[in-house]
């Protein structure tokens, strides 16, 4: 078995999960990482058992690396993806995959010209429960899908909220690609946002979108950093698909450990597992077996179009027709 050798650009919280997955896979090796803050990078490298690089270019140009995981801030994803592709590296890029549709188009062109693989981290769809829901929909077991819901209510500490984008970009991106995977493409989009205590950060920390899909299905997406849901059967993070013959759901609350994990006050166990599932699919299926990712850069472009339609709806107070 050929060893797939990986380098990480960025060593934030999500890097811990990717590194754990890489180190736990037979036939994969985490060679090294680069981080914007060198001292933090050295700490993480010691934790992961790999080396550090002085610059991002040093990592990208290392002939001993087959694939690069781009885990840096969203604004740098396009630049690093293009550089990695030109260096002949396969790419896994965290979400949001880029800041604009134009950047995503440039990434797609560079990847195609280089003949390498590029997979966005659309981690929910690599979860077993979501894959099962997809099978139920495609096989007709749910009948005609009439409603799709994705709710997210997880309080984020002030310092985390301040450095994240608003929930439309940070969380509704997740909702959008999951909706695409399970319910298809939208026809019209209406979105509202709210900022609870804008003295802490100006970006919105609550948003809701109502969407009609091309086949008539209605979707409701909501996201909040402002609060947890402590009521019975809480909408912490829940996905529900309702059809004429049946329904299905996926919930963070089904697997909970009373221990902080990154931005979350508890460990919603399926979240770290979903990241590790994504890494495993990329290495074992996309790279080793030449399979297609479950979500492509084309899907990332559609997700960005949905996000920009949400932002347009908020800004202009209109119901946006999705092309």
């Amino acid at each position: 078995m050929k060893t797939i050798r990986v380098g990480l650009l960025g060593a934030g919280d999500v890097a811990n999960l990717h590194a754990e997955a890489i180190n736990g896979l037979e036939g994969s090796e985490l060679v090294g990482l680069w981080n914007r803050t060198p001292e933090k990078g050295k700490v993480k490298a010691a934790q992961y058992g790999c080396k550090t690089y002085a610059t991002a270019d040093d990592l990208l140009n290392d002939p001993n690396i087959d694939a690069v995981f781009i885990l840096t801030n969203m604004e740098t994803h396009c630049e690093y993806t293009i550089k990695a592709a030109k260096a002949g590296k396969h790419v896994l890029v965290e979400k949001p995959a880029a800041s604009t549709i134009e950047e995503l188009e440039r990434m797609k062109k560079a990847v195609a010209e280089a003949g390498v693989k590029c997979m966005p981290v659309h981690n929910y769809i690599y979860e077993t429960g979501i894959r099962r829901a997809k099978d139920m929909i495609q096989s007709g077991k749910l009948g005609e899908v009439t409603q799709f819901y994705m709710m997210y209510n997880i309080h984020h500490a002030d310092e985390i909220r301040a450095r994240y984008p608003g929930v439309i970009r940070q969380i509704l991106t997740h909702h959008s690609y999951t909706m695409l995977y399970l319910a298809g493409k939208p026809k019209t989009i209406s979105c509202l946002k709210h900022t609870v205590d804008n003295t802490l950060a100006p970006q919105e920390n609550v948003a809701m979108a109502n969407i009609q899909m091309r086949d008539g299905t209605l979707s409701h997406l909501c996201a909040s950093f402002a609060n947890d849901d402590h009521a019975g059967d809480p909408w912490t993070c829940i996905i529900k698909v309702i059809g004429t013959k049946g329904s299905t759901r996926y919930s963070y609350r089904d697997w909970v450990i009373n221990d902080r994990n990154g931005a979350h006050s508890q460990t919603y166990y399926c979240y770290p597992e979903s990241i590790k599932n994504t890494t495993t699919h990329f290495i074992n299926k996309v790279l080793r077996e030449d399979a297609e990712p479950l979500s492509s850069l084309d899907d990332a472009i559609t997700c960005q179009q949905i996000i920009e339609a949400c932002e347009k709806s908020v800004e202009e107070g209109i119901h946006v027709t999705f092309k």
Side-chain angles (χ1 to χ4, degrees):
M1 179 185 288
K2 179 184 182 298
T3 298
I4 305 294
R5 299 162 302 181
V6 180
L8 306 182
L9 289 183
D13 291 340
V14 77
N16 298 342
L17 303 174
H18 288 294
E20 184 180 347
I22 295 163
N23 287 334
L25 279 179
E26 182 182 0
S28 70
E29 177 189 355
L30 180 54
V31 175
L33 63 86
W34 170 82
N35 193 63
R36 182 177 57 185
T37 308
E39 289 309 312
K40 181 179 179 181
K42 290 176 183 177
V43 171
K44 288 294 186 79
Q47 178 183 331
Y48 306 156
C50 68
K51 68 178 183 180
T52 59
Y53 291 83
T55 68
D57 286 342
D58 288 344
L59 185 150
L60 292 170
N61 294 317
D62 186 344
N64 292 316
I65 288 180
D66 303 304
V68 175
F69 285 26
I70 298 173
L71 314 178
T72 50
N73 58 304
M74 173 182 67
E75 292 78 12
T76 63
H77 288 180
C78 178
E79 174 192 354
Y80 289 145
T81 297
I82 292 172
K83 282 187 173 183
K86 288 182 176 178
K89 313 301 185 188
H90 301 293
V91 177
L92 182 140
V93 56
E94 263 291 349
K95 69 88 204 166
S99 302
T100 66
I101 294 168
E102 186 271 337
E103 286 185 349
L104 288 164
E105 294 284 5
R106 287 169 54 206
M107 291 160 63
K108 181 182 172 183
K109 182 174 183 287
V111 165
E113 289 176 349
V116 297
K117 300 280 190 179
C118 181
M119 180 172 133
V121 178
H122 291 170
N123 51 295
Y124 282 79
I125 65 177
Y126 294 93
E127 275 283 87
T128 302
I130 302 301
R131 301 280 292 275
R132 184 180 294 116
K134 177 78 166 180
D135 290 342
M136 293 174 74
I137 292 166
Q138 288 185 322
S139 66
K141 289 183 172 63
L142 296 184
E144 180 182 347
V145 174
T146 58
Q147 295 133 276
F148 174 87
Y149 299 93
M150 189 161 178
M151 316 286 201
Y152 181 102
N153 296 280
I154 299 179
H155 179 265
H156 282 51
D158 296 345
E159 67 275 9
I160 296 173
R161 172 191 158 189
R163 62 182 169 86
Y164 276 4
V167 291
I168 292 177
R169 294 230 166 193
Q170 186 70 18
I171 302 299
L172 289 193
T173 299
H174 277 305
H175 292 28
S176 296
Y177 70 68
T178 308
M179 180 182 70
L180 279 177
Y181 185 68
L182 293 178
K185 290 186 177 181
K187 178 181 178 182
T188 58
I189 296 173
S190 181
C191 187
L192 296 168
K193 72 176 183 180
H194 177 47
T195 304
V196 177
D197 195 353
N198 60 13
T199 63
L200 299 174
Q203 55 268 40
E204 80 281 350
N205 54 355
V206 183
M208 293 186 181
N210 287 321
I211 300 169
Q212 183 158 46
M213 315 306 290
R214 291 182 180 177
D215 63 359
T217 300
L218 298 181
S219 293
H220 177 71
L221 314 178
C222 83
S224 174
F225 284 164
N227 49 271
D228 291 312
D229 179 1
H230 295 296
D233 196 17
W235 297 344
T236 300
C237 179
I238 188 166
I239 299 164
K240 185 165 284 198
V241 182
I242 301 175
T244 55
K245 293 183 179 178
S247 56
T248 184
R249 78 152 204 179
Y250 166 93
S251 175
Y252 270 17
R253 300 300 308 191
D254 290 341
W255 305 274
V256 181
I257 298 168
N258 292 326
D259 218 3
R260 174 170 286 280
N261 188 302
H264 302 161
S265 61
Q266 297 169 297
T267 298
Y268 304 110
Y269 194 65
C270 52
Y271 167 71
E273 288 299 299
S274 73
I275 298 293
K276 289 185 278 187
N277 290 346
T278 305
T279 297
T280 299
H281 187 93
F282 180 63
I283 292 174
N284 282 351
K285 297 295 183 182
V286 175
L287 300 188
R288 201 177 295 288
E289 298 180 10
D290 199 33
E292 290 301 316
L294 301 182
S295 187
S296 65
L297 280 176
D298 283 326
D299 295 316
I301 289 169
T302 304
C303 287
Q304 183 65 24
Q305 290 170 335
I306 293 171
I307 293 303
E308 291 186 10
C310 287
E311 292 172 338
K312 180 179 176 67
S313 175
V314 167
E315 182 179 346
E316 300 182 19
I318 61 172
H319 203 63
V320 177
T321 299
F322 192 83
K323 298 179 181 180

